[in-house]
Amino acid sequence: MSRAREFADLAGSADAGGLTGRNLIINGAMQVSQRATSATGIGGTGDTYKVLDRFRYGLNGGDATAGRFTASQAAITDLPGFGFAHKLDCTTADTSIAAGEVFTIQQRIEGQNLQQLAKGTSSAKAVTVSFYAKGTAKKYMLEIQDAENSRIIQQQFDVTTSWQRFSITFPGDTSGTVANNNSTGLYLNMWLHGGSTYSSGTYNASTWKAQSNADRAVSIDSFFSSTDNELFITGVQMEVGPSVTDFEHEDAGTTLQKCQRYYFKFLEGSTKEIGVAWYYTASHASFMFRYPTTMRATPTATDAAGTGYYTIYSNGGSDAINSVAFENGSTEQYSALNNSEASGTAGQAGLVRSTNASAKIEFDAEL
């Protein structure tokens, strides 16, 4: 390769977002699954995160889906370069589809991570979305949604029983700017099922337009048509520019840290160390939880509670408590207390540990 060509290629890569960090999708290789590695009976209504970090199931269309599916982080050996895929397996069919039914796989992207798109300006840049998929032969829809400005762009794709790499380039959108903040800027949606509210309109391939719900799932198949249906997805990438590049692999630690900006499971199970507690009074024990990375926003903190789920070990004794009450939070840390079961000596400190298999503490700042 000539030096001129080499520099031209480097310049092109930089314009598309740099040689590294060009993938706007987090956990595209399906490496991180903090909540669980599998979940069953998913369906009905309501958007939810269940398995793979940063991939949300959109089920909030107005009517509950009768269909149900199992989702899992599946180990794969038949796609060189990838060790995991997001697997969906239909377990309950839904062949009588109500108008408002919806099923999408979605990733929500912060607006401050999308400013290089120059969306809503005359300099708006194209984006290229690529991913690998295989499964039961079906037609589905890929969509970029700008909910803030009620705009969408779409492209259908056809899954077969063999792995394919799909590459879809969407032109830049000169209408509707994306706010430069930590709220959702764009949604990347894969439509797998939709009732007539979402499928009775007109399909316009790769054309930005005002959002009309009737246009969003036109002519696609239903993942819930049979319990024989399955779908595998991995290597999801969204990059600035009109050209597809090789999937940007990153180490698992980097991906985990990115995911923990949105969700962090502090512990699950028994004999897990929480940290230090101190008795403010004999019946008031205080704790401090620090996150491994700065979170997107002050998270919602939750704990699984039950008799003796947690224990404070202090001054040669043990003090069983049932729960943790979260008090003051930030994007860096959360203070908590127990003043319902705590019984110790004011001024003393001790080690806190989970002491029940069902104990769990988590922090959620998802979009």
Side-chain angles (χ1 to χ4, degrees), residues 169-203:
T169 296
F170 296 110
D173 186 16
T174 57
S175 298
T177 59
V178 173
N180 185 23
N181 58 29
N182 65 346
S183 297
T184 301
L186 294 176
Y187 301 71
L188 181 67
N189 300 317
M190 290 185 180
W191 283 79
L192 308 182
H193 172 86
S196 60
T197 299
Y198 300 93
S199 61
S200 59
T202 302
Y203 170 55

Side-chain angles (χ1 to χ4, degrees), residues 62-74:
D63 288 314
T65 61
R68 296 292 186 271
F69 66 95
T70 293
S72 61
Q73 181 193 39

